[in-house]
Amino acid sequence: LVQLFDVIDNNMTLIGLNFSDCQLNDDGLKIVAEGMKYNKNIAYFGIFNNDLSISSARLVAEMVGVNKTLISFRLKNTNLSDDGVKALSHELEYNNRSVIHLDLTSNKIGKNGAKRLAKALLS
């Protein structure tokens, strides 16, 4: 997985990255998220149909806050909860203006998470 970090972090031609349906765990996601933070080319990132823990959701949110080239982000069916949405919403509201497509279909987002996300997207 360390080699994967180097590929993601240093690749100058890759514009999309999809780790959907691959049983990505916290350790793997940490490496992917760290590599994605400073990649200047990847515009699409998908990790749908993976079971994210709250710590994974926070790693993803942190990556979104740092990465300035990501425009399409798919988190469909990742068991994202209000806690994960809170972290993601914060980064979208204060640190990322590049994301224009966000797929959060089939998650565990409740009323509070939805309100927080709406506030972030309206700012």
Side-chain angles (χ1 to χ4, degrees):
L1 284 175
V2 174
Q3 292 169 332
L4 181 60
F5 169 84
D6 290 336
V7 169
I8 295 169
D9 188 44
N10 297 312
N11 189 291
M12 297 300 150
T13 57
L14 192 65
I15 59 170
L17 193 58
N18 188 347
F19 284 96
S20 301
D21 292 308
C22 68
Q23 300 174 359
L24 197 60
N25 63 19
D26 286 354
D27 293 335
L29 188 60
K30 182 176 183 177
I31 290 169
V32 171
E34 285 296 318
M36 283 284 298
K37 278 185 183 178
Y38 302 104
N39 183 289
K40 304 284 190 249
N41 294 311
I42 295 177
Y44 167 83
F45 184 54
I47 53 174
F48 54 94
N49 296 334
N50 284 292
D51 190 12
L52 300 186
S53 68
I54 185 60
S55 62
S56 288
R58 288 183 181 131
L59 288 170
V60 168
E62 183 181 321
M63 178 273 296
V64 168
V66 175
N67 183 295
K68 304 301 182 203
T69 58
L70 190 64
I71 59 172
S72 181
F73 190 36
R74 294 193 68 195
L75 281 165
K76 177 182 176 180
N77 194 30
T78 56
N79 289 320
L80 192 66
S81 67
D82 282 354
D83 289 335
V85 168
K86 180 180 177 184
L88 182 60
S89 296
H90 175 82
E91 298 300 339
L92 289 170
E93 183 172 6
Y94 296 106
N95 298 317
N96 184 299
R97 297 288 180 216
S98 64
V99 173
I100 59 173
H101 176 255
L102 179 63
D103 183 356
L104 298 174
T105 308
S106 299
N107 279 293
K108 297 178 179 178
I109 302 168
K111 191 177 196 178
N112 291 334
K115 283 182 182 179
R116 181 66 182 97
L117 184 60
K119 179 182 179 264
L121 295 175
L122 288 173
S123 66

